Amino acid sequence: MGLRVLLGVFLMSLPALQAWSDQGSDPGRLRGTEKRQAVGTADGVVIRSMKVNCKVTSRFAHYVITSQVLNNADRVQEVAFEVEIPKTAFISDFAITSDRNAFVGNIKDKVTAWKQYRKAAISGENAGLVRASGRTMEQFAIHFTIGPRSRATFHLTYEEVLKRTLGQYNIVVKVKPQQLVQHFEINVDIFEPQGISKLDAQASFLSQDLAHMIKKSFSGRKGHVLFHPTVRQQQSCPTCPTSLWDGDFTVTYDVNRDKICDLLVANNHFAHFLAPQNLTNLNKNLVFVIDISGSMQGQKVKQTKEALLRILGDMRPDDHFDLVLFGSQVQSWKGSLVQATAANLQAARDFVQRFSVAGATNLDGGLRRGIDTLNRSQEAVPALRSHASILIMLTDGEPTEGETDRSQIRKNVRNAIRGRYPLYNLGFGDRVDFNFLEAMSMENNGRAQRIYEDRDATQQLKGFYNQVATPLLMDVELRYPQDTVAAVTQHQHKQFYEGSEIVVAGRVADHQPGSFKADVRARGEGRAFQTTCGVDQEQMKRLLRERGHVLENHLERLWAYLTIQELLAKRMKVEGEEKADLSAQALKMSLDYQFVTPLTSMTISGMVDQDGLRPTIDKPSEDDFSELVGPRRIYMLPAWQPLPTHASPLGQQLPDQVTGVDTDPHFIVHVPQKELTLCFNINEQPGAILNLVQDPDTGFSVNGQLVGDQAGHGGTYFGRLGIANPATGFQLEVTPGNISLGPGSGGPVFSWADQAVLRQDE
């Protein structure tokens, strides 16, 4: 099951719960040649239920997935529980119950949680249960064994704040259960204090005559959608054991905008929602900075041109714009902002259709030219200063020409923009340094978005532009009395766009919500925008009577979620003590509110895999495109954990002396021009790091980390090698799974099948 954000659309797919028989084998292991069977055909295994419960309160979404499997067979069975969740969500709870025993996740800091997994990590395996999956999702998967005549129930909880995009909130459930389910249910419960203005639900896999199976209703502040089909309704044909469904189950809704803003206070926390309506559109000053280096050749440049042509067709007559191209050299279409007249738009289309790709990637030069175009035009034409200026940059690679030092590029861009307008960076494909693009955007009041190499890349580019195409306000600031606010999330925004929403949350120091208010200041088209938002005490009393503890809890967790997200974003822009301080704050809040974030992991006690390791749940990084490497890890409930047939390498004590060289651990070094052979015994446990080579002349050093034998020979081998030169900043890490350049700074990762040429500038 996965929930993902794609241009404001939230996507979920139902959990895939599979089972297959494991007759006559070790219940803790499954050979790679064994064929999986869908649960509908697995002997003795029944999927009793799959339920997705989504409860939304004031934009804060709380999801619980519950699934139960029953093993009616007289032998051990293996099952898999697979779920897809959005990259923006935080897992907050996971538990498995089996035969009245509960195995509950425990969230702790990542360093502590991962100490037990160093062996698997060193050998190139992903010991965690979560990995990157698709564009905006992460896949949660756990394989485990259950005993005969027993059942197991899964509970997974995750949370996030819904983002309004293009005028609505979207929840899309991707339904692909792969088998019939006895009790199948999707239940969406929405409570919005502003009142729900619209709500709809559709399923792409249902014909029109079956659409009545979806029950939907809304009235006032409450909305409800229920999808609860029978087994017969799931069947692809009356006698078929397979499911009919494969598609999207979509729920869309929005809230009333009768008031300019809505302010809620409960349990000493507040949430402020701002999305004013009926405002006049601001005119735009828009500069596109486009990468035309050689790597853009082919489909990427074709799709980029198609998107630019469509965007030019949407420009309004009073908008002003220019185009900047960068390869090895930088070129401008006009070199200054020109009005979007019919003649200028046609000339721009001709320019887009004619340009070709070539050369390296002078990203710094392209950005500085685009910034200079905006700055000079506004200085030369004072009327343009009242327009909303926007800079959009698209690249598919890393800087290789001109200034290539990323920190210097960020400094150059920051000093040139000086906080006057937003920079939006679009990274085309998976070869970009997305962390670099994201940090640079955030430093300049914008954000970054990845454009995936696919047939719909043109739609992705145009879809992003649609989100910023209609600015309504500039320099938006939400002010709160200092003596009443103890903490507050981001409350200053460079621009506000049609169809979006500004959300601010915080802690209230004053225990009297009646005295709490917020002043909003911004610049609109031709005039200042000002309003004051107060708390409606009578409304809050009614809301608390209706929703009670749920409303109080969700407001507080909404604040915690936004605060953690902002702390994680801020730490990307800084180094040293400041970064360490932000990390410490984010870690403390993650632990306080029990969120799995990039700084925390969840471990599950009572279950182990074939190596004696407990399962862990962590959050992959944005640039993590890896698949699970190595053998599938199968976890066993205590009653069905087999006794080991041989001692674990982790538990073996190495001998004090080794008289032979045909077993581990040892090294043999032949001394040149000497009739000597030196034999070294290494009495270390797996996980130890050894300094292998140190060259005082060049500064290079090579370290190796030991790992237990994976092939059952009873030896200890190197699972990771690190090569470094502190004088030049060079770092290379080699594992059986991949090769990482600059692993400590988020550098590129290559597989052994990749071919790459790397150059370090003098």
Side-chain angles (χ1 to χ4, degrees):
M1 157 66 236
L3 176 68
R4 66 180 179 181
V5 182
L6 178 59
L7 304 181
V9 177
F10 293 79
L11 298 175
M12 288 194 305
S13 65
L14 268 168
L17 189 56
Q18 300 172 315
W20 52 93
S21 181
D22 192 17
Q23 302 180 52
S25 65
D26 182 344
R29 301 180 185 274
L30 190 68
R31 294 184 296 274
T33 57
E34 290 177 305
K35 184 177 180 181
R36 298 186 185 186
Q37 301 173 347
V39 72
T41 60
D43 185 16
V45 175
V46 177
I47 304 298
R48 293 286 300 273
S49 66
M50 284 186 186
K51 297 181 181 180
V52 180
N53 187 286
C54 173
K55 188 179 292 290
V56 180
T57 304
S58 296
R59 321 317 190 255
F60 187 80
H62 178 92
Y63 298 87
V64 179
I65 306 170
T66 305
S67 195
Q68 185 181 86
V69 60
L70 176 64
N71 179 16
N72 287 321
D74 292 324
R75 58 185 175 276
V76 171
Q77 300 270 49
E78 182 183 339
V79 297
F81 176 67
E82 297 179 355
V83 174
E84 289 186 353
I85 66 175
K87 292 180 179 178
T88 53
F90 292 153
I91 291 174
S92 55
D93 191 28
F94 178 68
I96 299 176
T97 57
S98 178
D99 296 328
R100 299 183 181 179
N101 294 316
F103 307 92
V104 181
N106 178 32
I107 296 177
K108 57 186 71 174
D109 71 274
K110 202 180 201 83
V111 174
T112 301
W114 272 86
K115 282 182 179 178
Q116 61 179 304
Y117 292 95
R118 61 186 181 183
K119 171 189 170 186
I122 293 166
S123 64
E125 299 177 29
N126 181 349
L129 303 181
V130 184
R131 61 178 176 178
S133 175
R135 295 180 179 179
T136 55
M137 293 184 293
E138 296 164 353
Q139 185 184 62
F140 174 100
I142 183 169
H143 296 251
F144 71 101
T145 59
I146 60 173
R149 302 294 176 182
S150 62
R151 69 182 66 190
T153 304
F154 306 90
H155 302 272
L156 178 69
T157 302
Y158 59 94
E159 300 163 290
E160 72 167 351
V161 176
L162 299 183
K163 181 180 179 182
R164 185 174 186 250
T165 306
L166 301 177
Q168 62 185 20
Y169 311 95
N170 304 273
I171 302 171
V172 178
V173 179
K174 184 147 182 84
V175 177
K176 192 175 182 179
Q178 302 178 357
Q179 64 273 318
L180 302 177
V181 182
Q182 290 185 5
H183 185 88
F184 184 103
E185 181 177 295
I186 301 173
N187 193 335
V188 180
D189 176 64
I190 304 170
F191 181 84
E192 290 290 353
Q194 290 169 267
I196 297 174
S197 61
K198 65 176 183 179
L199 183 146
D200 195 15
Q202 298 178 345
S204 63
F205 50 87
L206 291 180
S207 60
Q208 192 63 36
D209 59 326
L210 295 177
H212 66 277
M213 294 166 56
I214 304 173
K215 308 301 181 184
K216 54 192 176 184
S217 64
F218 73 97
S219 177
R221 291 182 280 268
K222 297 180 180 180
H224 187 237
V225 175
L226 178 65
F227 184 49
H228 185 190
T230 64
V231 172
R232 177 171 295 182
Q233 290 170 329
Q234 299 173 44
Q235 290 177 290
S236 53
C237 71
T239 59
C240 293
T242 55
S243 174
L244 167 72
W245 302 336
D246 184 357
D248 295 340
F249 183 89
T250 307
V251 177
T252 60
Y253 82 95
D254 198 15
V255 302
N256 294 321
R257 307 287 170 179
D258 300 332
K259 298 189 295 184
I260 292 178
C261 53
D262 193 62
L263 187 59
L264 304 176
V265 179
N267 194 28
N268 295 332
H269 288 82
F270 76 89
H272 188 183
F273 305 97
L274 177 68
Q277 305 297 291
N278 304 316
L279 298 177
T280 303
N281 298 342
L282 288 167
N283 296 320
K284 299 190 297 290
N285 300 326
L286 187 59
V287 174
F288 296 97
V289 180
I290 306 298
D291 184 348
I292 59 165
S293 61
S295 57
M296 287 285 290
Q297 185 71 44
Q299 190 70 5
K300 281 191 281 191
V301 72
K302 177 178 180 291
Q303 293 171 320
T304 299
K305 288 185 174 187
E306 290 173 352
L308 284 172
L309 292 173
R310 291 173 60 179
I311 289 169
L312 290 171
D314 287 346
M315 299 281 283
R316 292 191 293 269
D318 291 328
D319 289 340
H320 288 66
F321 72 104
D322 194 16
L323 300 165
V324 175
L325 309 177
F326 66 91
S328 294
Q329 305 297 321
V330 179
Q331 58 177 309
S332 298
W333 171 53
K334 290 294 185 181
S336 61
L337 294 175
V338 299
Q339 189 171 350
T341 63
N344 284 336
L345 288 171
Q346 185 56 51
R349 293 188 191 98
D350 295 340
F351 176 77
V352 168
Q353 291 171 332
R354 287 196 310 266
F355 75 70
S356 58
V357 300
T361 308
N362 189 355
L363 186 147
D364 179 69
L367 277 171
R368 294 173 76 174
R369 178 74 65 85
I371 296 168
D372 185 62
T373 299
L374 280 171
N375 292 348
R376 286 190 297 102
S377 296
Q378 291 182 86
E379 291 171 1
V381 184
L384 295 180
R385 299 173 192 171
S386 63
H387 293 192
S389 294
I390 301 172
L391 185 66
I392 299 177
M393 190 275 291
L394 170 71
T395 183
D396 76 330
E398 301 179 6
T400 59
E401 189 79 20
E403 181 60 71
T404 59
D405 181 81
R406 290 164 175 74
S407 61
Q408 187 61 47
I409 294 174
R410 287 170 55 181
K411 183 178 180 181
N412 293 342
V413 171
R414 201 165 53 241
N415 291 341
I417 293 180
R418 288 182 290 173
R420 288 176 289 190
Y421 42 81
L423 164 64
Y424 295 102
N425 286 326
L426 305 179
F428 205 147
D430 58 9
R431 292 295 183 182
V432 297
D433 185 346
F434 192 79
N435 288 337
F436 163 64
L437 298 181
E438 189 172 34
M440 185 163 53
S441 287
M442 290 189 298
E443 289 174 334
N444 295 282
N445 300 296
R447 60 185 174 88
Q449 181 166 312
R450 193 184 295 276
I451 303 299
Y452 292 85
E453 294 186 59
D454 210 336
R455 289 177 296 179
D456 68 340
T458 298
Q459 288 73 27
Q460 294 178 58
L461 289 165
K462 181 59 167 60
F464 171 82
Y465 173 76
N466 290 343
Q467 297 179 59
V468 300
T470 311
L472 300 176
L473 295 173
M474 293 188 296
D475 300 323
V476 184
E477 182 178 7
L478 294 82
R479 302 175 182 174
Y480 306 93
Q482 293 185 357
D483 58 340
T484 62
V485 174
V488 65
T489 60
Q490 181 183 352
H491 55 98
Q492 293 179 324
H493 297 263
K494 203 63 193 174
Q495 295 176 357
F496 166 72
Y497 303 100
E498 184 178 52
S500 67
E501 181 178 61
I502 293 174
V503 181
V504 181
R507 284 206 328 265
V508 180
D510 187 346
H511 288 231
Q512 299 299 321
S515 62
F516 187 75
K517 64 177 183 178
D519 293 323
V520 181
R521 301 289 183 268
R523 287 194 296 132
E525 176 60 33
R527 63 184 180 87
F529 176 88
Q530 299 183 18
T531 189
T532 298
C533 303
V535 178
D536 187 330
Q537 294 187 68
E538 291 303 317
Q539 181 195 35
M540 285 306 309
K541 291 178 182 178
R542 289 194 299 270
L543 295 177
L544 289 171
R545 282 197 297 268
E546 285 187 59
R547 209 64 165 181
H549 176 68
V550 173
L551 176 62
E552 295 181 332
N553 181 60
H554 279 206
L555 283 184
E556 182 173 354
R557 295 185 72 80
L558 181 150
W559 165 74
Y561 173 94
L562 292 179
T563 301
I564 293 170
Q565 292 279 32
E566 290 182 8
L567 289 170
L568 294 173
K570 287 178 182 177
R571 77 185 190 121
M572 294 179 60
K573 302 183 291 184
V574 297
E575 297 294 337
E577 292 185 8
E578 189 175 359
K579 182 172 185 175
D581 180 61
L582 291 170
S583 297
Q585 293 179 51
L587 174 59
K588 184 179 185 306
M589 289 201 68
S590 300
L591 294 173
D592 288 345
Y593 288 91
Q594 290 292 283
F595 286 136
V596 176
T597 72
L599 300 176
T600 57
S601 293
M602 177 185 288
T603 59
I604 305 171
S605 300
M607 300 176 65
V608 295
D609 68 0
Q610 55 267 46
D611 292 325
L613 299 178
R614 290 182 296 177
T616 185
I617 300 170
D618 68 334
K619 195 164 187 63
S621 65
E622 167 61 32
D623 280 325
D624 182 4
F625 293 97
S626 63
E627 297 293 329
L628 289 178
V629 179
R632 181 173 67 248
R633 313 196 73 82
I634 305 167
Y635 297 94
M636 295 155 281
L637 304 184
W640 304 105
Q641 293 172 16
L643 294 175
T645 57
H646 57 80
S648 169
L650 282 173
Q652 291 178 344
Q653 294 297 321
L654 301 178
D656 293 333
Q657 295 183 344
V658 177
T659 56
V661 295
D662 57 335
T663 58
D664 176 78
H666 69 270
F667 292 92
I668 299 177
V669 178
H670 297 282
V671 181
Q673 300 176 347
K674 298 283 187 181
E675 294 183 356
L676 293 174
T677 299
L678 304 181
C679 179
F680 296 87
N681 297 332
I682 306 299
N683 298 325
E684 289 287 353
Q685 292 284 352
I689 298 176
L690 308 179
N691 180 237
L692 305 179
V693 178
Q694 183 77 43
D695 188 338
D697 294 328
T698 63
F700 274 94
S701 64
V702 180
N703 294 332
Q705 190 166 27
L706 298 178
V707 61
D709 173 32
Q710 302 296 304
H713 299 311
T716 300
Y717 301 89
F718 285 112
R720 180 167 61 185
L721 296 176
I723 305 170
N725 189 331
T728 62
F730 177 84
Q731 287 184 318
L732 188 73
E733 183 174 285
V734 181
T735 73
N738 52 54
I739 302 167
S740 304
L741 182 64
S745 56
V749 179
F750 306 98
S751 73
W752 286 99
D754 288 336
Q755 295 184 9
V757 177
L758 304 176
R759 183 188 73 186
Q760 180 166 317
D761 295 330
E762 298 293 336

